[in-house]
Amino acid sequence: VLDSQYGTYVWPCAVVLAQYVWAHRRSLPDKRVLEIGAGVSLPGVVAARCGAQVILSDSEELPQCLQSCRSSCIMNRLPHVPVLGLTWGRVSPELLSLAPIDIILGSDVFFDPKDFEDILTTIYFLLEKNPQAQFWTTYQVRSADWSIEALLYKWNLKSIHVPLHSFGADKEHLASSSMPGRHTVEMMIISLAQSEGT
């Protein structure tokens, strides 16, 4: 834990997503994985250590988060893992030139509702380019009116809830937080919705 700034702290969602990555480690060698909003990059680092070809990314406007990604790679003997500045909702040369992707990782990216549509715009763009890819994401339920259902529908995306007990992440030391209040961690997999007639 470097600092309690957003992208430089290992949040409970990152630990839960890393557990899901670990539970699927046998399927990861040679998979192409992009972590968005990576910060300290725990899920991406686990994927890379399991043999995936990983690219880490965070906002190009947050150099300290990009540096956290690089530091995590160096500390975990992964100096070859590329780190890109990708800002949600922005079509940049880096986004356009990304190689094909199989899995997108994002832990606790659904934090601030003002970012939700930008995140899903970026996810939709990536899934359109990679129709078989999936977005594995964990989030903390912070509000009763927290929902991305309408945005998923708008962007022709679907989600599947993944119960934490199905991959051993329902243990208190994984999905809990020492922060005040109750913070329930959830996981879902987002993919392209089937188009009409297919």
Side-chain angles (χ1 to χ4, degrees):
V1 175
L2 306 173
D3 175 13
S4 60
Q5 298 291 315
Y6 293 144
T8 54
Y9 181 82
V10 180
W11 296 96
C13 285
V15 178
V16 172
L17 187 56
Q19 176 73 12
Y20 188 78
V21 168
W22 177 250
H24 291 83
R25 63 192 174 276
R26 286 180 187 83
S27 68
L28 289 175
D30 300 320
K31 286 278 195 290
R32 297 156 305 186
V33 175
L34 169 69
E35 185 175 0
I36 65 165
V40 179
S41 319
L42 179 61
V45 163
V46 171
R49 298 291 295 187
C50 291
Q53 299 169 29
V54 174
I55 298 171
L56 300 174
S57 72
D58 212 312
S59 173
E60 59 195 328
E61 297 164 2
L62 298 173
Q64 75 276 18
C65 290
L66 294 170
Q67 188 52 50
S68 288
C69 293
R70 290 183 192 99
S71 297
S72 290
C73 290
I74 291 164
M75 285 187 279
N76 287 282
R77 295 185 211 65
L78 297 166
H80 61 282
V81 172
V83 175
L84 294 180
L86 294 178
T87 301
W88 302 326
R90 184 178 301 160
V91 178
S92 63
E94 291 78 11
L95 184 65
L96 291 169
S97 63
L98 273 176
I101 294 166
D102 299 303
I103 299 164
I104 305 159
L105 301 174
S107 68
D108 218 0
V109 294
F110 294 110
F111 177 82
D112 189 339
K114 74 175 177 48
D115 294 329
F116 289 4
E117 186 150 26
D118 285 343
I119 294 163
L120 289 176
T121 302
T122 300
I123 295 304
Y124 176 77
F125 176 85
L126 291 167
L127 293 177
E128 274 283 296
K129 281 181 67 174
N130 305 276
Q132 303 309 311
Q134 295 180 328
F135 177 36
W136 298 357
T137 185
T138 50
Y139 58 94
Q140 283 192 353
V141 180
R142 294 181 171 90
S143 167
D145 32 308
W146 184 102
S147 178
I148 60 167
E149 289 304 315
L151 289 171
L152 290 173
Y153 181 79
K154 176 181 177 179
W155 288 100
N156 194 36
L157 299 169
K158 64 179 179 182
S159 68
I160 298 168
H161 179 261
V162 180
L164 300 193
H165 69 82
S166 69
F167 58 100
D170 55 339
K171 312 294 184 272
E172 190 173 327
H173 69 280
L174 279 176
S176 70
S177 168
S178 58
M179 295 180 288
R182 190 166 183 282
H183 301 274
T184 304
V185 176
E186 300 284 343
M187 175 162 181
M188 64 182 157
I189 295 175
I190 295 174
S191 58
L192 283 180
Q194 293 297 324
S195 52
E196 298 279 328
T198 58

